[in-house]
Each structure stands twice: as structure tokens, then as C-alpha cells.
Amino acid sequence: MKRINIEPTEKAGVYRQMAEQHGTPLLLLDCDKLAEQFNALTHALPRVELYYAIKSLPHPAAIQTLGALGANFDIATSGEIELLRAQGTRARKTIHTHPIKRDKDIRDALRFGCTTFVIDNIYELEKFIDYRHRVGLLVRVSFPNPNTPIDLSRKFGCREDEAMLLIQKAQSLGLHVKGLSFHAGSQCPDSTNHVHAIKQCGKIIDAVFQASAKILSILDIGGGFPVEYITPVMDIQTFCQPINAALKELPAHLHIIAEPGRYLSAPAMTAVSRVMGKAKRGDATWYYLDDGIYGSYSGQMFDHATYPLTIFSDIKETQQAVLAGPTCDSIDVIAEQITMPPLDIGSVVVGHQMGAYTSASATNFNLFDQAKIVAINVPELANSNITLLHK
Amino acid sequence: MKTYTETLYDSYGQEFAVDKVYFENKTDHQHLIIFENAKFGRVMALDGIIQTTEADEFIYHEMLSHVPLLTHGNVKRVLIIGGGDGGILRETCKHASVEHITQVEIDDQVVEMCKTYLPNHSAGAYNDPRVNIVINDGARFVRECTEKFDVIISDSTDPIGPGDVLFTSDFYADCKNCLADGGILVTQNGVAFMQLDEVTTTAKRLKPYFADQTFYCAAVPTYIGGVMTFAWASDNKAYRSTTVETIKQRFNAANITCRYYNPAIHIASFALPQYIENALAADVSE
């Protein structure tokens, strides 16, 4: 989609109705879309078991929807554990993937029942000595990717040559390393780095077996599956085809998992805000929306995302415009140097692809309320009071 | 079918069919559930770990109470740390010679809930006039306690969560101070095959305070992975030379009915599998 899309006012009906019913700012979470994305990725990666990275959109309806489809969950904090616990998620369906943890984080996860953890350095390995009979570890390996907006191998992950040393050290401490993980980068333009990382991990897995007859059984290929904001991206089948080809070269016993977040959640949520004021400043008309950079549009700051927007107007002529957020800070601007028909105060502005890293990183700056999330098409759960026990 | 999966270990575990959930509660980051299973009756699990079941609890509770009580031979005062389900209390109350029992449980809700949902564990023992229930942290209780006991029984959860202070060197030292002359401390110490270093760590921490320290064993089906060990600590080395005849006499005199415990099992339970002996020997020579 384009950055600014102009639709006739008759198309605004459903958004206006939701805005009136629930108030704005609003985020509409469509669980059917979430399910559609999960099914598309499952189809594109037939050998891979998916662990939803709930950090991208930690919402109960998202957990319920994906859980009902058989998804597993990637967790990183005790807060995320509490969210899953409240949804009755089985702990065996979770892995804890934060490479750096406090002792309490480890204990909280174990007490929940999550026993798979990720490490990438010796200090982190040593934190598990007391829990060595209870846990299985993944070693996160770094494969830097200069071609992505967010290089997830800078802050975390050991060098390839360090992986073997960590695994040997773990063995000497009586700790079980059961596999490797990597993150090829976020919003990858293609799967070149995934393929490279899979090949290199295959070599490490082989080298570990040659050196010590130790069988690594899990490879976690992370995330990075792209979604379209305002720039077209490769379709998911085409993106995953080289990954599947690379996985075919790995030993058949290897269990392959992935941690998609953005790919599942981004298209599932739509922001609805309204113009709360406007002013003519210089050549441009400034429109002040009730949601902005400190709210649902925080991803423009933290996630390097630019969301496609839709306004509704039947007027042909256009003007210079700026769309700003509601706070008192001057950096709170969503879009500037844009051209569009004039809007009235109270008009609805819609943001698309706003499920991932939007509300997740929204603030309460100025004590403005965060956008309310309204979930639609939530799957019905039978016996929801004892879902913990569901297979 | 509804199931409950234990998550004690990453690569191995047990699963129960759940016929009916009696109670499920989450308090202060603890998750507690009591459910019905066809083979084990009522099963209680805490934070993904099986705590006790109606069908096999007798093995654990009989061994953790009758072994120290009948070895001592003249127990008047007993201190129970933990044991909120009441099973240890039930077995201890069977000894008519015992005059006083203090039980220290950190969470009064556990006691009430077990009375309601696992009534066969305590079997009315909480109403025994010899019993004094104290709601307190067990570690703090022994630290501040000025009374003396002939036997201290630590019936704790595993060393992750609130029970972990009951596995420290300080706790063992404080227990020593609460023991009368000839007193015995016993503690639940996990399944040695799965967690061998719990045995060596406990041995290392207990030995500085007691003239005699060892372990004894029993296999409890739902504490999976082999025999469970109970730590034994006392200043009286002669206890372990007690003959089966003496134990038999005391057992008969006490007139107690058991389903797992008997004098022959009592004596035999101190024989440790060689892998445990090896681990203890290796740790000493380190």
C-alpha cells in the first residue's frame, strides 16, 4: 500500500461505527487475519514448528487464537509467562528465548513449567548449574545481517567458533545443550541469511557430533519473515522456498522450530484514530490525531516501521498536510510533507499493518490513554476455565 | 482426554489422565491443582511438579516418620517442618509415646485446602490434642526456637520456590540447635538418580554439624526416576547399629499398622545403591 491512501467517505462506515462504539484511539485485532497468517506460514514451512513470539503483540486474544491452531509460544519475561498462564497455555508448548536472564527469571519460568532456555555466553551458562537436571538449552549463534532494518545478531548470539566451546563447557558442567538457535534479522528482504545460518548451524551440529558423539536435536531458525508496510516484500512461499531447500540438507532427526512474531501479528491489527484538532501553519495544514508516536505509532520510533494510512474524503483537490500525534512533544509527528484532501475535526484516520510492535511499545506519555484493543473473530473456547488441561 | 504433564525435567516426565479437577488455584506465582486420576486417586501438583497422591503417599510418609521415631526409641517431642498435607502428622500421631508435636507450615491455606480436598492424608490428625500448628516460615522458626525436640522431620517441596531455604547449611545448623541430646533430623532429599548432586550437596552441608550423617531410601512411584533419598543426621552413631530385633520389639510395642514400613525394610533402607555410595565417596575425596 501507499503511505497515504484516499478512499471515498462511504468506505469509512465500519471504522466510524467502531470509533463511535468503542471510542478512539482504537486498535482492531482481527483474529481471523492472525489465523490466516499462521496458516500461511505453516504452509510455507511444512517441516517447521512455529513458536509465536508474543512480544510483538502480547494480547490474550492473540494467544487464544494461535493456541487453538496448535501454535507454540516464545517467551522472554516473567510478565509474558503470566499472560500465557492466564490463558491456560501448557508450559510444554513454550520456550524461553531471552539470552540474558536473572536468577528469578529462570525460577519463574521453571515454576511455570518451561524448561527450554537460550544461552549465548559462559556467564549465562553458569547460571544454570543449579538447575542442570531440569533444563535443556539452546545455544544462540550470531549471523550478522547488514541488509535488514534491525540486525538482531549484534546484541545477542555467540560467534560460530564459540558455539562448540560453549557446548563442550556445558557438557563438562553436566548441562544438556539440545540444539542451536539464530535470528537472521527482522523484516528480511530475502532468505539469504537464513540459508547461510542454516548451513553453518548444520556444520556446527555435525562438528559437535564428530567431536563428542553428542546429538543436537533442535534447530531454531528464529524469525525475520517479512510483511508489507509501504514497500512490497517477497511473498512468503517464495521467501521460504530456499529455507526449505536448505533444511532438506540437514539430518532427518533434527526438529526445526521458528519464532515468528511480526509475520503473524502485523497484518492482524488496524489503528483507528480521529482528528482532534487542526491548524494552518505555513503552507501545511496540521492535523492532530488522538494517537501518535508515543502511542500505537511507537513502532515508527522503535521498530523502524512506516505504516500505510487511509483517510476518507470525497473532495478532489489536495493540500500540503502534516499528521501529528496528540502529545506536547514536537517529535510526535506521524507523517509530514504529504498531500491529501482537507479533513474535518472528528474525521477518522486508519493505520494498517499495525499489529506488531505498536501497542507493545506504546507509552502513557502526557498520561494520554493508550489505544484500546478490540478483538474481533475471537475463537470460542470450550471449557475455558480449565484450558490448562487441554491437550 | 484431559491430561496433566509434569514439567520437572526437560527431557523426561510423567503424564496423568485427569478425570476431574477438584481444586485449581494460583497464588503469588504458585499454581496448585488437585485432580482425580484413575490409578493414583487424588493427585496434588504445585508449579508443574507432583507433590503427593492418595495411592502412593503411604510409602513416603511412613518412611519419613517411623524410621527416625522407631530408631530413637523414646521420642516424646517431634517437630515437623512443612508437611501441610498432614501425612507426616498422621503417621507421627500413631505413636502413643509421643507427647507433643509442633508442625510449622508456611501457608495456612495449604493446611485448610488439604483438609478439604485430601482428607485421607491427615485422617483427623489435625484434631489430635498433642498437636500444635504454627503458621510460620520453617527456617525462621528453627532460627528463633528455644525448645528442644527428639526428632525433626523436614517435609519440604523441591529446592525451587519457597522450600529452598530448607536445604541450606544455616537451616541444618538451626535444626541441630533445636534437637535434644540423641535427637535425629530427617529430610526429604529428592530422587538421587535424577538429581545426584542433591545428595552430595546435602551431605556436605549436614556433615559439619552432626557426628553421623547418611541417607536411606524408598521408591515412591510418582516421584519418578528411581529411589527417593531421605537425609539422616544425628550425633548418636550407635543408632545405625540398631538391630532388626530391637526395631521389631519397638514396632510391635507401638502397635502400628503400616503398608510399606516394616522392621526389615527399616534396616534395609539404609543400604544405598552403589552409584550413590560412589558419589558420596567421590565428593569426600575432592
Side-chain angles (χ1 to χ4, degrees):
Chain A
M1 286 177 86
K2 291 186 291 189
R3 173 63 162 151
I4 305 289
N5 303 275
I6 299 155
E7 298 274 351
T9 49
E10 64 187 35
K11 295 252 175 105
V14 61
Y15 299 114
R16 281 219 190 95
Q17 187 203 324
M18 293 301 270
E20 257 151 51
Q21 190 182 342
H22 300 286
T24 54
L26 192 63
L27 285 162
L28 296 177
L29 168 56
D30 182 355
C31 295
D32 280 352
K33 187 66 191 174
L34 199 59
E36 191 186 302
Q37 291 295 106
F38 179 81
N39 292 332
L41 192 55
T42 303
H43 186 249
L45 292 169
R47 189 183 161 180
V48 181
E49 199 175 9
L50 302 183
Y51 285 70
Y52 171 52
I54 67 177
K55 65 176 84 64
S56 68
L57 176 57
H59 192 274
I63 308 299
Q64 283 172 20
T65 303
L66 294 171
L69 293 170
N72 304 280
F73 297 95
D74 155 20
I75 51 180
T77 66
S78 300
E80 292 178 357
I81 287 170
E82 290 309 307
L83 173 63
L84 288 185
R85 199 201 287 272
Q87 305 315 309
T89 305
R90 289 173 79 95
R92 279 284 190 243
K93 295 186 84 70
T94 65
I95 57 173
H96 192 291
T97 60
H98 201 312
I100 306 294
K101 298 159 288 294
R102 291 160 294 198
D103 184 57
K104 182 178 181 298
D105 301 325
I106 298 170
R107 284 172 170 250
D108 285 348
L110 283 174
R111 294 181 63 179
F112 171 58
C114 175
T115 53
T116 299
F117 294 87
V118 170
I119 61 125
D120 67 1
N121 68 83
I122 186 73
Y123 306 109
E124 205 64 17
L125 183 64
E126 286 172 347
K127 290 178 186 172
F128 284 95
I129 291 173
D130 284 350
Y131 311 110
R132 61 186 173 210
H133 305 296
R134 298 198 55 188
V135 302
L137 302 177
L138 304 178
V139 171
R140 178 158 165 177
V141 189
S142 166
F143 296 98
N145 190 347
N147 297 324
T148 62
I150 307 166
D151 182 0
L152 291 166
S153 283
R154 186 171 82 96
K155 188 168 174 179
F156 300 122
C158 67
R159 292 196 318 266
E160 289 172 54
D161 58 314
E162 290 170 332
M164 173 74 104
L165 295 174
L166 275 172
I167 292 165
Q168 286 168 345
K169 179 72 180 170
Q171 275 186 291
S172 73
L173 292 171
L175 275 154
H176 173 48
V177 173
K178 56 182 180 178
L180 302 178
S181 78
F182 64 80
H183 210 300
S186 180
Q187 190 69 352
C188 295
D190 59 50
S191 49
T192 310
N193 204 36
H194 287 85
V195 169
H196 170 68
I198 289 166
K199 284 185 177 156
Q200 294 307 109
C201 285
K203 286 181 193 165
I204 295 170
I205 288 163
D206 188 50
V208 168
F209 184 74
Q210 297 302 332
S212 61
K214 165 95 184 152
I215 295 171
L216 298 184
S217 62
I218 295 175
L219 177 61
D220 178 351
I221 64 170
F225 312 103
V227 295
E228 180 173 330
Y229 291 104
I230 55 173
T231 317
V233 297
M234 208 179 262
D235 79 88
I236 197 65
Q237 285 289 343
T238 313
F239 184 92
C240 290
Q241 191 278 326
I243 295 177
N244 291 327
L247 292 177
K248 228 173 234 165
E249 303 300 315
L250 295 178
H253 80 269
L254 263 188
H255 182 61
I256 314 295
I257 66 177
E259 305 163 11
R262 178 191 311 280
Y263 182 81
L264 302 185
S265 61
M269 211 150 69
T270 304
V272 181
S273 55
R274 281 186 288 204
V275 176
M276 56 185 230
K278 64 178 189 176
K280 188 93 178 133
R281 303 195 196 281
D283 294 336
T285 305
W286 283 63
Y287 296 97
Y288 300 88
L289 309 183
D290 52 17
D291 204 350
I293 299 297
Y294 285 92
S296 307
Y297 290 84
S298 59
Q300 292 194 184
M301 190 66 73
F302 296 121
D303 191 39
H304 312 270
T306 309
Y307 306 105
L309 305 171
T310 297
I311 61 152
F312 302 91
S313 176
D314 300 324
I315 299 169
K316 287 279 176 282
E317 62 266 33
T318 59
Q319 324 170 321
Q320 285 285 101
V322 176
L323 296 177
T327 69
C328 300
D329 189 349
S330 58
I331 70 160
D332 189 5
V333 172
I334 298 168
E336 51 191 325
Q337 293 176 327
I338 55 175
T339 313
M340 60 180 219
L343 294 178
D344 294 329
I345 290 173
S347 298
V348 160
V349 175
V350 171
H352 305 280
Q353 304 288 81
M354 287 192 62
Y357 307 105
T358 53
S359 58
S361 53
T363 76
N364 285 103
F365 177 54
N366 265 179
L367 299 188
F368 273 109
D369 286 338
Q370 290 183 16
K372 178 179 173 187
I373 298 178
V374 174
I376 55 173
N377 302 319
V378 186
E380 294 252 339
L381 292 180
N383 299 321
S384 60
N385 56 328
I386 48 166
T387 47
L388 176 86
L389 302 165
H390 280 214
K391 194 74 178 156
Chain B
M1 186 178 69
K2 295 187 180 73
T3 58
Y4 185 89
T5 305
E6 187 177 45
T7 52
L8 181 54
Y9 307 111
D10 183 61
S11 57
Y12 170 70
Q14 60 183 333
E15 188 171 84
F16 295 82
V18 175
D19 294 341
K20 183 183 177 185
V21 176
Y22 294 110
F23 183 80
E24 188 171 5
N25 188 31
K26 182 187 160 274
T27 53
D28 295 344
H29 301 280
Q30 288 199 41
H31 175 255
L32 194 145
I33 186 166
I34 298 174
F35 61 85
E36 180 74 22
N37 170 266
K39 185 74 190 173
F40 287 96
R42 295 191 176 203
V43 178
M44 177 167 88
L46 179 65
D47 289 337
I49 301 175
I50 302 303
Q51 301 297 312
T52 189
T53 87
E54 280 188 329
D56 68 359
E57 57 87 13
F58 67 96
I59 303 171
Y60 175 86
H61 290 126
E62 289 178 11
M63 289 301 281
L64 197 51
S65 47
H66 301 315
V67 172
L69 269 86
L70 291 169
T71 301
H72 186 284
N74 186 29
V75 175
K76 304 277 185 227
R77 295 172 55 80
V78 177
L79 173 63
I80 301 168
I81 308 286
D85 59 40
I88 295 290
L89 191 64
R90 179 195 67 209
E91 292 303 316
T92 304
C93 285
K94 287 181 178 173
H95 293 257
S97 64
V98 170
E99 294 167 358
H100 175 83
I101 305 163
T102 292
Q103 177 167 350
V104 185
E105 170 60 50
I106 196 163
D107 186 350
D108 58 342
Q109 285 180 2
V110 170
V111 174
E112 288 311 313
M113 188 198 55
C114 289
K115 277 189 204 168
T116 307
Y117 296 103
L118 296 170
N120 299 330
H121 272 60
S122 51
Y126 281 112
N127 299 323
D128 191 301
R130 296 171 292 172
V131 176
N132 175 35
I133 303 295
V134 178
I135 301 302
N136 195 354
D137 172 2
R140 185 200 290 173
F141 180 88
V142 292
R143 190 164 63 236
E144 295 169 356
C145 180
T146 52
E147 295 173 71
K148 300 283 181 192
F149 298 91
D150 300 310
V151 165
I152 300 178
I153 300 172
S154 174
D155 176 14
S156 64
T157 55
D158 278 347
I160 288 188
D164 57 358
V165 292
L166 305 181
F167 291 86
T168 62
S169 186
D170 286 348
F171 173 71
Y172 297 141
D174 293 334
C175 284
K176 172 71 188 286
N177 288 333
C178 296
L179 280 176
D181 283 348
I184 301 167
L185 167 67
V186 292
T187 70
Q188 85 85 356
N189 204 71
V191 173
F193 181 83
M194 300 304 293
Q195 316 193 345
L196 195 55
D197 43 12
E198 273 190 31
V199 174
T200 53
T201 304
T202 299
K204 215 181 288 176
R205 290 179 184 168
L206 277 171
K207 277 187 163 61
Y209 305 112
F210 294 91
D212 186 40
Q213 196 283 314
T214 188
F215 296 88
Y216 62 105
C217 307
V220 182
T222 54
Y223 300 150
I224 56 167
V227 293
M228 127 159 275
T229 58
F230 306 99
W232 170 278
S234 172
D235 278 345
N236 187 342
K237 287 187 184 182
Y239 282 147
R240 282 209 278 149
S241 313
T242 313
T243 62
V244 70
E245 283 73 26
T246 306
I247 299 293
K248 232 180 238 171
Q249 256 172 18
R250 292 174 184 167
F251 182 54
N252 292 337
N255 195 24
I256 293 169
T257 310
C258 289
R259 288 198 287 155
Y260 184 85
Y261 178 91
N262 60 42
I265 283 278
H266 178 133
I267 299 296
S269 69
F270 283 84
L272 298 178
Q274 196 55 39
Y275 66 87
I276 298 180
E277 294 281 11
N278 289 350
L280 290 167
D283 227 52
V284 167
S285 65
E286 254 176 28

